[in-house]
């Protein structure tokens, strides 16, 4: 496979009008499979809280949860750019703490960049992390870590005032030095406008085709996650149903003594067994 994808590659892809493909991964085999499929970028997202750990929302995800999964993914990836999500409250307790946590994700997780949710309110943290030499991906629009203040998973930026704030936030983050920006659940027209006004790539999720790239949660795309998927998800597989079917067959075969068969069994010669059975007599 050719050279490793970097944050500079992402910028170049925008300049060359090449769309960027990204997906999430939370473990070693998925990281490896996405990488060998040729994905450009992998996000170890805090969505792992819901799709892997069974939490109610992403506010329950801790730094330890993230580091554990980021390490596993990065071991399986040699080509794609890997980004580690900074979890809830890991960049809200003072600038030193934000830099320390971003540093742990890079140093212990072995990824190339971190992602933070929010706009001008986290600008000083973003600047300090970038100053420490850590590339930052921004995330605006629907920011799931703020679910309790947003009041639900709704489209963002529908009023002129909200839209203005999003544009200002996007420009402020670009000026602070982020290398790419996730736009989640932003109306397609607004995402298009923001993408045209930035020189860094935008990565859309539920934000239309005008973004410079797209990202989805892999468990939604493959039909592994059995909970409700948002409307913007397109299912490219039904792996959850396949797993259930395969496991039901296994259960039936165990109960009916069809598994293990001859092919899965090992034997010794009868003479040895006779000795064992007769050994006590
Ligand atoms: O946590 C995550 O998976 C994300 C993506 C949905 C962008 O933030």
């Amino acid at each position: 496979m050719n050279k490793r994808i970097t944050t500079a590659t992402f910028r170049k892809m925008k300049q060359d009008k090449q769309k960027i493909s990204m997906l999430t991964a939370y473990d070693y085999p998925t990281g490896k499979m996405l990488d060998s499929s040729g994905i450009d970028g992998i996000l170890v997202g805090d969505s792992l809280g819901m799709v892997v750990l069974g939490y109610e929302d992403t506010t329950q995800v801790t730094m330890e949860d993230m580091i554990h999964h980021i390490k596993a993914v990065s071991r399986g990836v040699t080509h794609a750019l890997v980004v580690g999500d900074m979890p809830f409250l890991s960049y809200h307790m003072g600038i030193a703490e934000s830099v320390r946590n971003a540093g742990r994700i890079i140093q212990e997780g072995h990824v190339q960049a971190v992602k933070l949710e929010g706009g001008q309110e986290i600008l000083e943290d973003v600047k300090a992390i970038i100053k420490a030499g850590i590339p930052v991906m921004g995330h605006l629009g629907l920011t799931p870590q703020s679910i309790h203040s947003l009041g639900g998973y709704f489209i963002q930026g529908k009023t002129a005032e909200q839209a203005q704030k999003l544009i200002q936030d996007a420009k402020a983050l670009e000026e602070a030095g982020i290398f790419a920006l996730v736009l989640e659940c932003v109306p397609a027209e607004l995402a298009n406008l923001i993408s045209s006004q930035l020189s860094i790539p935008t990565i859309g999720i539920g934000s239309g085709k005008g973004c410079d790239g797209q990202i989805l949660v892999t468990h939604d795309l493959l039909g592994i996650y059995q909970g409700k998927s948002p409307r913007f998800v397109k299912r490219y597989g039904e792996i959850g149903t396949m797993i259930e079917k395969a496991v039901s067959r296994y259960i039936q075969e165990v109960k009916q003594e069809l598994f293990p068969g001859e092919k899965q069994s090992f034997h010794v010669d009868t003479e040895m067994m006779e000795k064992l059975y007769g050994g006590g007599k």
Side-chain angles (χ1 to χ4, degrees):
M1 210 178 255
N2 25 8
K3 274 197 340 211
R4 180 125 207 180
I5 295 186
T6 64
T7 55
T9 323
F10 266 40
R11 278 203 208 94
K12 174 95 172 49
M13 286 174 84
K14 168 146 183 159
Q15 282 162 14
D16 296 348
K17 299 197 178 357
Q18 269 181 53
K19 293 280 181 184
I20 300 167
S21 61
M22 285 193 75
L23 281 173
T24 63
Y26 316 104
D27 56 34
Y28 171 79
T30 313
K32 209 168 163 56
M33 283 187 281
L34 298 186
D35 199 36
S36 52
S37 306
I39 200 86
D40 298 312
I42 295 177
L43 170 71
V44 188
D46 63 352
S47 50
L48 76 85
M50 280 135 104
V51 299
V52 172
L53 300 177
Y55 297 160
E56 216 172 294
D57 55 56
T58 58
T59 62
Q60 290 168 274
V61 179
T62 64
M63 271 299 289
E64 302 318 311
D65 290 333
M66 289 309 303
I67 299 264
H68 180 73
H69 288 270
I70 290 170
K71 274 176 164 175
V73 172
S74 66
R75 280 184 212 117
V77 181
T78 55
H79 179 65
L81 174 80
V82 188
V83 182
D85 229 351
M86 293 194 67
F88 182 63
L89 287 191
S90 66
Y91 50 101
H92 302 93
M93 310 297 280
I95 290 175
E97 181 77 358
S98 305
V99 176
R100 191 172 309 119
N101 284 327
R104 280 192 67 196
I105 290 178
I106 301 292
Q107 204 166 40
E108 297 174 42
H110 290 172
V111 290
Q112 290 77 50
V114 297
K115 176 168 84 58
L116 283 73
E117 293 181 5
Q120 289 166 78
E121 67 284 2
I122 57 154
L123 216 54
E124 293 313 312
D125 303 86
V126 168
K127 283 183 189 166
I129 294 170
I130 294 171
K131 203 169 160 207
I134 301 170
V136 171
M137 175 177 257
H139 184 156
L140 291 174
L142 174 59
T143 47
Q145 289 174 15
S146 309
I147 183 65
H148 300 306
S149 41
L150 292 176
Y153 297 99
F154 308 123
I155 297 279
Q156 303 295 308
K158 279 171 89 174
T159 66
E161 203 186 4
Q162 283 178 353
Q164 273 304 339
K165 163 103 174 69
L166 268 175
I167 296 169
Q168 281 163 7
D169 279 346
K171 288 186 173 167
L173 284 168
E174 173 171 61
E175 219 161 282
I178 64 167
F179 74 93
L181 176 66
V182 169
L183 291 175
E184 179 164 354
C185 285
V186 171
E189 297 78 3
L190 178 58
N192 207 8
L193 177 69
I194 295 174
S195 304
S196 70
Q197 293 194 353
L198 299 183
S199 58
I200 53 160
T202 57
I203 309 293
I205 171 160
S207 301
K209 59 165 78 164
C211 293
D212 304 299
Q214 297 292 328
I215 183 164
L216 278 178
V217 168
T218 299
H219 285 52
D220 289 335
L221 165 129
L222 294 179
I224 299 172
Y225 182 57
Q226 303 286 312
K228 199 170 162 259
S229 288
R231 185 166 78 85
F232 58 74
V233 169
K234 182 169 174 186
R235 285 221 178 171
Y236 288 82
E238 292 299 338
I239 307 295
T241 314
M242 276 175 74
I243 293 175
E244 279 173 0
K245 277 192 189 149
V247 172
S248 313
R249 247 184 84 199
Y250 166 75
I251 296 169
Q252 267 176 18
E253 293 198 0
V254 168
K255 307 254 179 219
Q256 295 167 2
E257 295 183 35
L258 294 169
F259 177 83
E262 255 325 289
K263 215 172 161 190
Q264 296 88 25
S265 304
F266 306 94
H267 297 287
V268 289
D269 53 35
T270 2
E271 213 178 293
M272 205 278 270
M273 286 313 291
E274 273 166 7
K275 269 190 207 151
L276 284 183
Y277 277 109
K281 287 178 196 163

